[in-house]
Amino acid sequence: MGRQRKLKFDNDEVTALLKKFSKDISNIELRNLIVEKSIPLIDAAISKKGYYRVAEDIRQECALKITKSLHNYKPQKGKAFAFLWTVICN
């Protein structure tokens, strides 16, 4: 069996999705897509901190934090990476 390829976080794509979401915060499908596209960033934070034993729990907690924080994104203040990394690491 080969190694599973890690997905990469696409900052430009997620930034575009966040901008779109900021205009329609009731769009649940878009919200879920943003959270899904943020998983590689969550995994990077888990890896950086070395929390492998509880990775799934942390992944779920971070996804929930992102879900609850998306309405706070301000497009004029920056790109998705900076916003999401702050949400994930706090």
Side-chain angles (χ1 to χ4, degrees):
M1 278 200 272
R3 291 179 67 185
Q4 190 175 14
R5 229 177 105 193
K6 286 191 174 187
L7 298 174
K8 292 185 179 179
F9 178 76
D10 187 333
N11 193 28
D12 291 333
E13 178 186 12
V14 178
T15 298
L17 292 171
L18 275 170
K19 285 180 181 179
K20 190 175 176 181
F21 182 77
S22 70
K23 295 174 184 169
D24 182 13
I25 62 171
S26 64
N27 188 333
I28 293 173
E29 290 175 6
L30 184 56
R31 181 200 69 193
N32 291 345
L33 180 60
I34 293 167
V35 173
E36 181 182 321
K37 299 270 185 189
S38 300
I39 297 297
L41 198 56
I42 294 169
D43 288 343
I46 290 169
S47 176
K48 183 175 175 146
K49 295 289 185 178
Y51 294 143
Y52 303 107
R53 285 187 181 159
V54 290
E56 189 56 38
D57 291 339
I58 293 174
R59 192 175 292 112
Q60 290 176 19
E61 186 177 326
C62 289
L64 181 60
K65 282 174 67 176
I66 289 171
T67 301
K68 290 181 174 184
S69 300
L70 287 179
H71 69 279
N72 293 323
Y73 176 71
K74 305 285 186 258
Q76 67 276 14
K77 290 201 172 193
K79 291 197 168 214
F81 177 85
F83 173 75
L84 293 171
W85 189 257
T86 301
V87 170
I88 291 165
C89 291
N90 284 339

